[in-house]
Amino acid sequence: MLGVIDLPTYLAGLVLIVLLPGPNSLYVLSVAARRGVRTGYTAAAGVWCGDTVLMTLSAAGVASLLQANAVLFGIVKYAGAGYLTWLAVGMLRAAWAMWRARREPAAQSAQAEPVAGERPFRRALVVSLFNPKAILFFVAFFVQFVDPGYAYPALSFVVLGAFAQLASFLYLTALIFGGTRLAAAFRRRRRLSAGATSAAGVLFLGFAVKLTLAGA
């Protein structure tokens, strides 16, 4: 179909890959839990735009360039790790503020939440783009399902990308609505909210370390 081979295997692998936790999905869940469905979808749109750019770059051969150029790969890798670290520090600072305000009335602590100036779309987009391993993944995974004899391989990439975006849309939608349900519990239990935000910050630090140690 349009140069795509073994579609059932691709879809099965895609589901497993999408379900693996990563910084993008974790950030969308965090935003939805703190600020609701609309803002959650704003962050998700950043993820989808970032993934679209990565797929386009992969189809254009940028992944091969990164894989062949160790210096360029290192620059992108460490820039991405630095940004993830910056986000992690911000989450840990927010968690500390929540912990300090755990005994304050709900309305007062809600006003104290450090959400001003946060741009969910831009943050999610940058997290997506500064991930060279994702670019390499798209090439390594997609190329296995493209018929080398097909006359229009770009069309095959579009089909594979469309399925990937659909799977991402369904998964992030589930996280967004699940996050809004968690929000009510977080507002009632300040220690739970602070603990969850701390855990998210630690996970982002883990993602940064993992990216730093990744090889081309």
Side-chain angles (χ1 to χ4, degrees), residues 25-175:
S25 57
L26 183 62
Y27 181 67
V28 171
L29 176 61
S30 172
V31 168
R34 290 184 287 109
R35 302 179 60 179
V37 170
R38 183 174 180 178
T39 310
Y41 272 112
T42 299
V47 173
W48 297 325
C49 288
D51 286 348
T52 299
V53 171
L54 293 184
M55 292 176 195
T56 303
L57 292 176
S58 298
V62 174
S64 299
L65 176 62
L66 280 177
Q67 201 166 21
N69 191 322
V71 175
L72 181 59
F73 182 86
I75 291 173
V76 177
K77 179 176 69 172
Y78 289 115
Y83 187 73
L84 289 176
T85 301
W86 181 73
L87 288 180
V89 171
M91 289 181 176
L92 292 173
R93 291 178 61 186
W96 175 244
M98 293 175 191
W99 178 260
R100 293 180 61 185
R102 66 188 183 279
R103 293 190 175 88
E104 295 178 3
Q108 182 178 349
S109 65
Q111 293 176 354
E113 290 182 0
V115 298
E118 182 181 15
R119 295 181 175 87
F121 177 87
R122 187 177 69 179
R123 286 196 175 187
L125 177 64
V126 173
V127 168
S128 295
L129 293 179
F130 279 97
N131 190 352
K133 299 304 291 185
I135 303 177
L136 300 180
F137 158 75
F138 280 126
V139 165
F141 187 63
F142 278 19
V143 73
Q144 299 177 49
F145 302 95
V146 176
D147 184 356
Y150 188 64
Y152 307 101
L155 184 58
S156 304
F157 273 87
V158 170
V159 173
L160 295 173
F163 279 115
Q165 291 288 48
L166 176 60
S168 177
F169 173 80
L170 295 175
Y171 178 57
L172 292 183
T173 294
L175 290 183

Side-chain angles (χ1 to χ4, degrees), residues 6-19 141 145 163 167:
D6 203 2
L7 183 59
T9 301
Y10 169 75
L11 294 178
L14 182 63
V15 169
L16 294 176
I17 291 164
V18 168
L19 291 178
F141 187 63
F145 302 95
F163 279 115

